[in-house]
Structures are given as C-alpha cells and as structure tokens.
Amino acid sequence: MKAITWRFLDTAKGSAFFNMALDEAIVEAVANGHSLPTFRLYGWDPAAITIGYSQKAGDVLDYGRCIEDGISVTRRLTGGRAVFHDCEAAYSVVGPIHDPLFGCNLSATYRAIGAVLLEALRSCGAEVDWSRGNPASGEERRVFSSAPCFLSTSRFEITCRGRKMVGSAQRRFREVFLQHGSILTGPGHERIGDYLKESHDTASFATVLSRKSIDLDAALGRPVDTGTLKASLFESFARAAGGQVTREEPSPRETEYARFSIHERYSSKGWVLGYG
C-alpha cells in the first residue's frame, strides 16, 4: 500500500492554551480533509500544567496556588494524568486511522511513533530503549494518589537506564488519531508535586519522581541542542513515512479555529475545573 503524504510543523514555543487548541484544530482539519496528516513539534512558554481529558483540575490540583504562581492550567484532548511542562520538546501526530504506517490500532500507533522517537533520541547520543511497563508501586500510589504522568511508565514509552524520558497519550476519533507527548530535555517536570491538591512532602515527591524519570540533558551529561533534536526527530519521522513529508505552517483555518477554542475552552475556568 502506498504511503500517504504527511506535513511537518514546527510551531516553536507557545502557551498551554494555544498548544492544546492548535492540536484540536489540526485534528478537525485532518479529519475533514482540509489539511495533510501532521507531525508537529512545539514547546511551552510560559511553563504550564495540563491534565487529562477526564480529569477536573479542582479535584487534582491546588488550583488557587497555580493562579497565584502564574502557572497556566488546561485540559488535554487525550487522557492520562497531570504533567508540568517546562523544559521539554513536545510532539503531536495526527493521522487517519487507516494509515498503513501509523494508523492500524492503538498499540500499533504507539509502537510506530515510539520507534520514531527512539531512533531520534539515539541519534542524539541517548541510551534509550522501549519500556515494558513500570507502573507506580502500591506504596507510591498510596502516598501520591493522583499519580502524575512521569511517576509510571507504560509499554512502548521511552526510557533511559530504566527511567522514563518520554510520556505520551493517545485518543482515537472516528476518522483520525491524535498522539502527543513530552520529551524531557531538562529539569522542571518534578514541580508538579508543588501543585497537587493532596497533602504530601514535596521534597520527597521530587525525589521519587527523579528516581522514576530522567531528562535528556542529564542522560547525555550536557545540554541538548534543541535544533539538533528537532532535526533528528524530523529525519526519523520522514524515514518512517517513506520520505513523504512536507514542511509547512499551520493553515489560516487552523489558526482561526485555535484562537476561537482558546477562549471557548482551553483558557476557560469552567473547562479546566470540569463544570463548563
């Protein structure tokens, strides 16, 4: 079966509201045939927290403290647990569920995209491998009942020396899938412990999280060059897609859709707290 043509977007750093709204806009555009299937890279400015689609920020986070500290909070289109986004390279992949390379079923999509990430990180010098699954222990779940994303590792996620480096989540719609995730490039994700609603020792929490996860800078023993990482990700994806990848910008339709949904949903207190 002939490979389909994909497009590559590098939207640099943006707010949590914009980043999540643009992912939704791309899902809508690809599903309706207005845009090519899309591999996107982006970052976060300022640092922010996202929670899973089925979560309510008021149940999970000390939302008042987030506001006091100027930490934006929004919900993702995908499931999963709370993530503090700071020093990382984020990615999203939106494609048709019948795509012969990346579609198929949920596990196959995780595996295909994970292979792209694995190759790119290895080309940067990181000793990364597949995870066979390393859930939070019973004691960790008892102490940290909200169990944020980087406290446990699922199958087909990427680890380095047994510690999680990439967290991913996926949602499948009628015609397309969305998978997006975080590649830790530096410290900061452990700050999620400062904003969880449950009462605990934040220092102990950070220690546990650092034992379970690792960022690319720490793995390499030097700062990662963002440009090199992005180039490696693009090249790895292009090879996996059979070279059928074009470099583009978000379309005017997607940009307008994102601007609308930022105000309607992603920056809405009701949407974030789960009553809107």
Side-chain angles (χ1 to χ4, degrees):
M1 187 178 295
K2 184 179 179 180
I4 64 175
T5 300
W6 286 73
R7 66 172 177 163
F8 170 76
L9 304 180
D10 179 358
T11 55
K13 291 186 177 182
S15 73
F17 308 134
F18 173 77
N19 283 336
M20 296 299 92
L22 186 57
D23 269 353
E24 181 184 332
I26 293 170
V27 167
E28 187 275 339
V30 174
N32 288 288
H34 300 298
S35 295
L36 291 173
T38 302
F39 174 53
R40 174 187 171 218
L41 298 180
Y42 56 97
W44 308 83
D45 185 21
I49 295 173
T50 64
I51 58 174
Y53 184 77
S54 62
Q55 290 187 303
K56 299 178 180 180
D59 294 341
V60 179
L61 303 173
D62 182 341
Y63 189 67
R65 182 174 183 186
C66 293
I67 299 303
E68 289 175 3
D69 290 356
I71 302 298
S72 300
V73 180
T74 194
R75 290 163 70 193
R76 303 186 297 273
L77 274 182
T78 55
R81 303 287 186 139
V83 181
F84 192 100
H85 303 280
D86 191 1
C87 297
E88 65 178 59
Y91 79 89
S92 66
V93 183
V94 179
I97 58 175
H98 56 75
D99 177 70
L101 298 177
F102 297 101
C104 302
N105 56 50
L106 185 143
S107 294
T109 299
Y110 268 124
R111 185 167 56 248
I113 296 173
V116 168
L117 303 177
L118 199 68
E119 179 185 309
L121 290 167
R122 284 175 175 170
S123 71
C124 291
E127 298 176 0
V128 291
D129 212 335
W130 295 108
S131 168
R132 296 182 179 180
N134 183 20
S137 68
E139 176 62 16
E140 289 165 347
R141 287 189 175 277
R142 183 189 68 78
V143 177
F144 312 118
S145 60
S146 52
C149 174
F150 281 92
L151 196 62
S152 62
T153 308
S154 301
R155 192 180 180 199
F156 300 132
E157 290 190 307
I158 309 300
T159 60
C160 178
R161 299 190 287 274
R163 297 158 68 187
K164 185 171 181 176
M165 181 178 286
V166 183
S168 301
Q170 187 184 140
R171 185 173 174 186
R172 302 178 79 81
F173 302 89
R174 183 175 180 181
E175 298 293 337
V176 300
F177 67 85
L178 162 67
Q179 181 171 316
H180 56 187
S182 302
I183 304 169
L184 299 179
T185 56
H189 67 286
E190 68 281 353
R191 290 180 61 193
I192 189 64
D194 296 339
Y195 299 99
L196 293 178
K197 192 172 185 179
E198 61 191 2
S199 177
H200 55 68
D201 182 343
T202 56
S204 296
F205 181 91
T207 299
V208 172
L209 199 54
S210 65
R211 189 171 68 241
K212 288 277 195 172
S213 59
I214 187 171
D215 61 74
L216 188 54
D217 282 4
L220 296 176
R222 55 177 171 79
V224 64
D225 179 74
T226 303
T228 299
L229 176 59
K230 287 182 176 182
S232 296
L233 287 164
F234 171 79
E235 291 164 6
S236 179
F237 188 87
R239 278 191 292 272
Q244 305 295 312
V245 183
T246 65
R247 293 178 181 267
E248 297 184 15
E249 299 289 334
S251 70
R253 177 190 179 92
E254 290 166 335
T255 302
E256 184 60 30
Y257 186 107
R259 286 174 179 165
F260 175 80
S261 59
I262 283 173
H263 300 291
E264 288 295 305
R265 285 183 292 284
Y266 293 97
S267 63
S268 164
K269 185 176 180 179
W271 167 260
V272 173
L273 293 179
Y275 57 73

